[in-house]
Amino acid sequence: MINRLLNDKKICIIACIRKGNDEELISEISKLCIPEGFTVEYLGVTESVSMCAGYNEALEISDAKYKIYIRENTKFQRTDILYSMTEQFRISPEIGMIGAFGTDRLSTDMVTEHSILYGPAGKRSIPVDENYKEVVAITGDFMATQYDIKWDESNITDWYMYALSQCLSFRHSGYKIVVPGQMDGAWIEEQLEHNYDYSDETTEKCRRYALVNFSEEMDIKPYAIRCGIMSFEEISAEDFILPLIFAGIDFSVIELGISINSAKTEDYDLLNSYLLEHHLNAVISYNFSPLLSKVCNSLGVRYVSWVFDCPQQALFDEQVKNPVNYIFSFDKKQVETTKKCGGINVFHQPLAFTVATITEYDITADDTDRFSCQVSFIGSLYEDDIYEHVKEKLSDVALKDYEEAFRNAYGMWDGLDRITGSLAGSTIAEMQAMDSPDTVNNLKMNASDYYIGRILARDLANKERIELVSRLNKYGLRLFSGSSGAQLEGITVGPRLNSKTELPKAYYLSKINIGTTLHSITSGIPLRTFEVMGVGGFLLTNFQPEIPELFEIGKEIEVYKDFDEMEDKVKFYLENEEARKQIAINGCKAVRENYNIYKQLGKILEQAGLIF
């Protein structure tokens, strides 16, 4: 710490200007209101060899007690921040440094912007709803001090790690570092893109210095994992955020607008750059992405995928053989199929309850009016008509083969796989001949499994669901679906429901929730089972071989093996309310205790070697 007489009525704003042009920054500073009795000076340092060296140069020149170190692109959002800053320093001599954004748990790669940040309400940070929040580090876009401590220009010679280094220096001197409560508005404009350059050798050298010298003080273990949570265009991975926080794993949410089916070179490059810049040791996603696996394999990054589709064609891609993969599927048969395709680390893992719990206090009068019903079916009717167009073009022999396979599986859920290999090779060949050359040439999975899943399974689902809702309409059925319902006479089709805000309430307010599974899912339990039971809904669903492995039928869940049994059980449980309610209570307890996202994801992380 530098001991010298400082002017406590003076504020100095300091910036290292690499461009040598600070007109815009001076204009920004001129907008600020100056507290009565204070003077403000600006020092723009040019031609400095590093940020620390430049700041030390300015620190030696200015005798201002209060100094604000900013980046050349910092933009002020409020004009009164000098009042707030000086007053906070005046009443709190234990505070050495104030930042607009900061973290109380530093990212394991030592990059503050990769951490969970506190600050104003916005995309970048969690709002501070008190006078201030004490943090371990602040970002370098705004760093205000009331004491002079030299910057470590000997070891931190880059243009980035200076902020973290100075935070450590203030903490070593016994001062607090805080982020103010910016309830009236952000002090500075959010810089969603920071200037950390992973490819710069000097920056990486300084980051490695920080890892060696600061890790213990920042409570970062040498074996700490930094995980990427991959959200694709089609599938969000936000369910993983809270469990990773709960498990104490550092993470970064990857939202790059990439499709899970992408094979584009530009998307490969985008992912590759992101993983390098964010120093990720592992990435996790719902379903398997060959492109992401390829990137991870090239960088030696573990890739964990939790698959909830069956069949997922991507599991037949060559990238499934990559040794960095840890693939978890909800369907046992799919596990074996993936292993046969060359998957090394492939495991069975049931899905989990992921939504918030629902109680009667969460239900409004509008919810009751919209969702309360005797019986509900929520889901697609698979009205894409592709199967009808295919059937129209099949030869008489192939159509007869198809109709026989259809009859053998229709409305039958007895635990047998009734569709795999059910169509003759000649029938499959006719279907292939109708398809586009691109689809046929790029087909990775067995043609029989692909066309049976794409055509026969969806045709079955359409006809079965139409019969299901038609049979149950007389019991007060409510249907919510993205389908038009044009084939359903006398049945009103409600809209598709929001999975986070509406679906849980619909499950909770339905006396009986009806579930049904695509025949292509031969053994696994779909996600909806856990979601219905987890919010306390009573579930009557088709039998799946894995259900009795997880739940006690008749005590925690109810099943049917054909339409007649489904209808009989609907009548019985509408007439026996206590029995129905007790099963719902038991099922809810079983799911919340054993199949919640925290416990299930924890098993995955442990199996993949991400927690110890």
Side-chain angles (χ1 to χ4, degrees), residues 41-206:
E41 68 177 356
Y42 162 68
L43 290 178
V45 183
T46 59
E47 299 181 4
S48 179
V49 296
S50 70
M51 197 73 90
C52 283
Y55 282 166
N56 275 335
E57 183 181 337
L59 183 148
E60 294 288 347
I61 295 171
S62 176
D63 67 343
K65 175 178 175 62
Y66 305 109
K67 294 181 174 68
I68 302 174
Y69 302 90
I70 59 175
R71 292 176 178 155
E72 60 184 354
N73 62 345
T74 297
K75 296 187 183 301
F76 300 106
Q77 290 291 88
R78 286 174 51 190
T79 61
D80 62 348
I81 61 174
L82 299 183
Y83 290 92
S84 302
M85 179 200 76
T86 53
E87 179 62 13
Q88 185 67 74
F89 278 140
R90 185 188 67 79
I91 63 176
S92 308
E94 73 279 9
I95 294 176
M97 188 183 293
I98 296 174
F101 297 92
T103 183
D104 61 356
R105 194 179 100 184
L106 189 66
S107 165
T108 57
D109 67 346
M110 290 288 172
V111 179
T112 306
E113 278 81 356
H114 293 170
S115 312
I116 296 173
L117 295 177
Y118 291 87
K123 294 180 179 179
R124 189 185 187 191
S125 60
I126 300 169
V128 176
D129 57 3
E130 50 199 318
N131 187 34
Y132 66 78
K133 179 176 180 61
E134 186 172 359
V135 295
V136 297
I138 57 177
T139 61
D141 35 15
F142 182 96
M143 305 176 72
T145 67
Q146 66 169 330
Y147 305 107
D148 280 356
I149 296 177
K150 286 200 70 173
W151 298 73
D152 184 8
E153 61 180 284
S154 299
N155 297 302
I156 306 301
T157 56
D158 71 331
W159 294 88
Y160 190 81
M161 299 302 294
Y162 65 92
L164 176 61
S165 172
Q166 191 68 347
C167 288
L168 264 292
S169 295
F170 269 81
R171 292 183 68 200
H172 290 161
S173 297
Y175 295 116
K176 287 184 178 180
I177 303 165
V178 305
V179 171
Q182 299 165 65
M183 286 80 78
D184 295 330
W187 282 19
I188 64 172
E189 183 180 282
E190 285 185 288
Q191 298 291 332
L192 297 180
E193 296 296 327
H194 61 80
N195 63 347
Y196 182 82
D197 185 1
Y198 68 89
S199 63
D200 184 272
E201 289 184 9
T202 304
T203 297
E204 273 298 284
K205 179 183 175 182
C206 292

Side-chain angles (χ1 to χ4, degrees), residues 169-294:
S169 295
F170 269 81
R171 292 183 68 200
H172 290 161
S173 297
Y175 295 116
K176 287 184 178 180
I177 303 165
V178 305
V179 171
Q182 299 165 65
M183 286 80 78
D184 295 330
W187 282 19
I188 64 172
E189 183 180 282
E190 285 185 288
Q191 298 291 332
L192 297 180
E193 296 296 327
H194 61 80
N195 63 347
Y196 182 82
D197 185 1
Y198 68 89
S199 63
D200 184 272
E201 289 184 9
T202 304
T203 297
E204 273 298 284
K205 179 183 175 182
C206 292
R207 187 182 71 86
R208 288 193 293 271
Y209 173 85
L211 281 167
V212 172
N213 293 278
F214 305 159
S215 291
E216 185 174 353
E217 186 168 348
M218 289 296 182
D219 196 29
I220 295 173
K221 305 294 186 292
Y223 51 80
I225 296 292
R226 180 160 166 74
C227 185
I229 300 176
M230 184 71 206
S231 281
F232 297 104
E233 278 187 331
E234 304 87 348
I235 308 170
S236 168
E238 64 181 21
D239 291 338
F240 298 146
I241 293 175
L242 288 178
L244 288 185
I245 293 175
F246 183 78
I249 294 178
D250 184 26
F251 65 87
S252 176
V253 179
I254 309 172
E255 295 179 308
L256 301 173
I258 293 174
S259 168
I260 193 170
N261 301 310
S262 175
K264 297 177 181 176
T265 301
E266 54 266 37
D267 287 341
Y268 178 97
D269 293 340
L270 197 60
L271 280 168
N272 188 76
S273 294
Y274 189 97
L275 267 59
L276 285 170
E277 178 183 340
H278 289 261
H279 309 103
L280 300 181
N281 310 107
V283 180
I284 183 170
S285 75
Y286 276 126
N287 280 356
F288 180 76
S289 163
L291 181 71
L292 181 53
S293 176
K294 186 177 181 180

Side-chain angles (χ1 to χ4, degrees), residues 392-495:
E392 287 173 2
K393 297 178 182 179
L394 288 175
S395 66
D396 291 344
V397 173
L399 182 59
K400 184 178 178 182
D401 176 54
Y402 182 93
E403 289 174 342
E404 184 179 349
F406 185 96
R407 284 193 299 272
N408 185 54
Y410 182 78
M412 298 293 291
W413 297 279
D414 50 9
L416 299 178
D417 179 359
R418 293 177 169 271
I419 67 169
T420 300
S422 61
L423 294 180
S426 55
T427 304
I428 298 297
E430 288 191 27
M431 290 180 175
Q432 273 189 297
M434 299 177 202
D435 220 334
S436 69
D438 281 347
T439 299
V440 174
N441 294 334
N442 294 318
L443 195 61
K444 295 180 174 68
M445 63 190 295
N446 176 278
S448 175
D449 291 339
Y450 175 75
Y451 286 102
I452 285 173
R454 185 184 174 204
I455 307 299
L456 179 60
R458 295 171 74 88
D459 191 10
L460 283 163
N462 174 250
K463 307 303 187 298
E464 287 170 344
R465 294 178 185 208
I466 289 172
E467 179 167 351
L468 181 153
V469 297
S470 298
R471 279 193 178 219
L472 299 182
N473 193 36
K474 58 180 173 286
Y475 299 102
L477 175 86
R478 275 197 170 183
L479 170 64
F480 295 94
S481 175
S483 304
S484 68
Q487 304 172 61
L488 304 174
E489 234 179 89
I491 296 175
T492 302
V493 182

